[in-house]
Amino acid sequence: MKTLLTEEQLGEGIRRLAAEIKKHYEGRPLTIIGVMIGSIVLLADLIRLLDMPMRVDLVKARSYREGSTRPGPLVINVDMLSESIQGRDVLLVDDIFDTGRTLWELIPQIDDLGPMSVRSAVLLWKEGRREVAMKPDFAAFKIPNEFVVGYGLDYRDQYRNLPYVALLEPHEIGE
Ligand code: 5GP
Ligand code: MG
């Protein structure tokens, strides 16, 4: 395992991300929706840096088959939202923009619920992997096309609790 982003670098990146988001919304109330499970660590750190009126909610999306680093079928559940988002500014928060398929499929489902606007913020962006006609609105770090873990991101349910982001080496990925 090789460290890609240290705790200190993550802290700086998330402060930059929070500043951009604050500037964009100029104090308007926001509904922040975390995409479970990978975004929970970012979500916890990010919301504490945003001193503005907000609601926090969660949806669940799963695109990775257990025990594989290759994407499987995408399952999204927006029914678990606990509050109406009608007329609200919505910010979707996810751990990583990889192919982009999760946000690409999630955004229309959120749009159907009648928000005023929908934007997306991610911690990591693997720019070269994009397969859809959209980009994240806010991204803290661009990273190379390699499988990463930590700070919410797992491999076979492990490593989510690492306080930093690391690359797994080929011998650590048993495909
Ligand atoms: P996308 O739909 O953009 O292809 O992928 C989004 C989801 O795939 C992420 O929210 C994350 O759950 C998973 N994913 C993509 N790349 C990685 C990676 O490098 N490491 C881990 N652990 N998960 C990833
Ligand atoms: Mg995810």
Side-chain angles (χ1 to χ4, degrees):
M1 190 149 44
K2 267 200 216 123
T3 302
L4 180 67
L5 296 164
T6 64
E7 280 188 76
E8 198 185 1
Q9 289 171 316
L10 286 169
E12 275 168 29
I14 293 157
R15 278 194 293 278
R16 274 199 313 271
L17 186 69
E20 268 183 63
I21 293 168
K22 260 174 65 175
K23 192 169 161 208
H24 180 86
Y25 290 101
E26 295 177 322
R28 295 201 302 280
L30 192 58
T31 295
I32 297 188
I33 300 179
V35 183
M36 292 216 291
I37 302 171
S39 72
I40 57 166
V41 180
L42 170 64
L43 189 68
D45 282 347
L46 182 64
I47 62 175
R48 285 180 288 175
L49 294 171
L50 294 172
D51 51 341
M52 58 196 277
M54 70 169 73
R55 289 181 190 156
V56 179
D57 219 327
L58 292 166
V59 292
K60 195 158 186 177
R62 225 194 128 73
S63 70
Y64 270 74
R65 270 180 261 134
E66 206 180 323
S68 169
T69 57
R70 289 185 307 271
L74 186 59
V75 181
I76 291 177
N77 185 355
V78 295
D79 298 336
M80 62 184 288
L81 284 175
S82 50
E83 297 261 4
S84 164
I85 56 168
Q86 190 147 22
R88 304 268 307 176
D89 285 313
V90 170
L91 181 67
L92 298 171
V93 172
D94 206 355
D95 47 10
I96 185 165
F97 189 100
D98 180 29
T99 65
R101 295 200 171 277
T102 305
L103 287 174
W104 180 253
E105 293 197 24
L106 175 58
I107 288 171
Q109 296 190 35
I110 294 289
D111 258 331
D112 284 347
L113 302 172
M116 168 118 84
S117 70
V118 183
R119 288 192 172 72
S120 58
V122 295
L123 180 72
L124 308 173
W125 181 9
K126 288 187 199 166
E127 219 180 353
R129 294 256 306 158
R130 187 157 65 96
E131 291 177 6
V132 296
M134 66 162 287
K135 294 173 182 180
D137 296 288
F138 307 97
F141 299 97
K142 288 181 183 170
I143 61 163
N145 176 20
E146 291 194 61
F147 193 77
V148 293
V149 294
Y151 198 76
L153 290 149
D154 76 310
Y155 174 63
R156 295 185 170 177
D157 297 321
Q158 275 193 76
Y159 310 116
R160 283 197 204 281
N161 52 334
L162 292 180
Y164 50 90
V165 171
L167 299 171
L168 282 191
E169 303 188 61
H171 72 270
E172 293 167 304
I173 302 176
E175 296 255 12

